[in-house]
Amino acid sequence: MKVGAVVITMGNRPEELRALLDSVAKQDGDRVEVVVVGNGSPVPDVPAGVRTVELPENLGIPGGRNVGIEAFGPGGRDVDILLFLDDDGLLARTDTAELCRQAFAADPELGIISFRIADPDTGETQRRHVPRLRASDPMRSSRVTTFLGGANAVRTRVFADVGGLPDEFFYAHEETDLAWRALDAGWMIDYRSDMVLYHPTTAPSRHAVYHRMVARNRVWLARRNLPAPLVPVYLGVWLLLTLLRRPSRPALKAWFGGFREGWGSPCGPRRPMKWRTVWRLTRLGRPPVI
């Protein structure tokens, strides 16, 4: 199976980007073709053979990754598998691409693989990087209902079936939107603890737009994908959880601003999932109300 990789960059981490590209070049088996997308910025120097695309403006994370997908032909069809890797990450092992080939070849229903993210110094995996509710054991691989955006592999037939990432989200929850659409189309998602991307431990709130985007896109996610009776339940649960976490006053203000924006702005096409998909999500341990 042919494997490609998409990396988006703002051009501000040239050393980390070079280290990531070196780790991709060291993968066992056939060469992994790489496209680096400069998301509104020039692409730093890259090794020979790495293709680059420089965008005149920042399209956001999903928009930038969609450009990378199309660099491999419509819907990425020139390859069978696409890796999506953060530009400050590093593949910990040389067999990750080969493990992806084996996993997709062995399971025709498998559409997406979520890698384990580990701190390069401590080896620790944060709970938020384990894409399931029971996240206490990051070393346990399992079927899941979503995946990590900067450390994953996607069978390109998924894009042919359900389309790409939602451009309008810009940042936050775009992976879950794609995951729900893939599950609704019959694909499955695995979390694999043996496929590791080293990435420094960070807090998602380091992004200035975090609280607003998280709230707005949570509303969009529900409006686009959930059966109508579940929309208020899902959003009500997340409102309660947000309040229980007792964010700071400025954070809460930004969150409510994003929540209002999510209701008052276009969210893209609405394609509610089938009720059998709701049941599938429930059986996988995460009903779509949380």
Side-chain angles (χ1 to χ4, degrees):
M1 303 182 79
K2 295 178 65 175
V3 180
V6 173
V7 181
I8 59 173
T9 183
M10 300 291 290
N12 55 350
R13 294 190 282 238
E15 294 181 5
E16 292 90 339
L17 174 62
R18 187 61 182 244
L20 169 66
L21 297 177
D22 288 345
S23 74
V24 174
K26 293 175 183 176
Q27 292 298 298
D28 301 336
D30 293 340
R31 176 177 174 269
V32 177
E33 186 177 351
V34 182
V35 169
V36 177
V37 178
N39 212 356
S41 67
V43 175
D45 289 338
V46 296
V50 173
R51 289 188 288 156
T52 62
V53 179
E54 294 186 352
L55 303 177
E57 61 178 315
N58 183 355
L59 299 183
I61 293 173
R65 287 183 176 143
N66 283 337
V67 169
I69 294 168
E70 295 302 307
F72 289 94
R77 69 184 181 190
D78 294 345
V79 293
D80 303 296
I81 303 164
L82 276 176
L83 311 180
F84 295 88
L85 307 170
D86 276 352
D87 67 342
D88 56 345
L90 182 75
L91 289 174
R93 296 166 42 160
T94 62
D95 63 350
T96 302
E98 190 60 30
L99 288 173
C100 287
R101 292 186 186 98
Q102 293 171 8
F104 285 119
D107 185 353
E109 292 186 342
L110 181 61
I112 302 172
I113 299 172
S114 189
F115 300 167
R116 180 167 65 89
I117 293 180
D119 185 272
D121 297 322
T122 66
E124 178 185 355
T125 296
Q126 296 177 276
R127 286 183 64 93
R128 69 184 183 89
H129 285 152
V130 182
R132 58 176 179 247
L133 290 179
R134 296 178 179 177
S136 59
D137 182 8
M139 301 307 295
R140 179 173 66 87
S141 299
S142 69
R143 293 281 202 205
V144 290
T145 62
T146 188
F147 63 99
L148 306 174
N152 67 80
V154 181
R155 193 193 297 264
T156 52
R157 282 175 51 201
V158 172
F159 300 125
D161 281 357
V162 305
L165 295 154
D167 287 342
E168 51 269 77
F169 278 42
F170 196 85
Y171 163 77
H173 302 319
E174 67 273 4
E175 304 92 352
T176 300
D177 186 89
L178 177 61
W180 283 0
R181 287 183 282 126
L183 288 162
D184 198 47
W187 296 103
M188 301 300 290
I189 306 169
D190 279 356
Y191 166 72
R192 288 282 297 265
S193 64
D194 57 335
M195 302 182 188
V196 182
L197 184 84
Y198 284 146
H199 189 282
T201 298
T202 56
S205 55
R206 70 191 185 279
H207 299 292
V209 296
Y210 171 76
H211 295 287
R212 170 178 155 254
M213 291 291 195
V214 162
R216 184 197 70 180
N217 292 359
R218 184 78 70 183
V219 177
W220 283 359
L221 181 68
R223 289 175 57 197
R224 287 164 58 97
N225 295 288
L226 290 181
L230 294 185
V231 172
V233 179
Y234 177 80
L235 295 176
V237 168
W238 278 106
L239 173 59
L240 178 61
L241 288 174
T242 299
L243 295 175
L244 289 174
R245 289 168 179 166
R246 303 181 66 181
S248 67
R249 186 179 294 272
L252 195 60
K253 181 179 179 181
W255 194 94
F256 274 110
F259 194 79
R260 288 192 298 270
E261 184 182 351
W263 285 109
S265 56
C267 63
R270 173 168 165 77
R271 299 187 181 96
M273 66 178 66
K274 308 174 190 72
W275 282 103
R276 69 185 182 193
T277 305
V278 173
W279 177 236
R280 171 183 281 189
L281 288 161
T282 303
R283 287 189 291 111
L284 289 170
R286 190 155 197 162
V289 293
I290 190 170

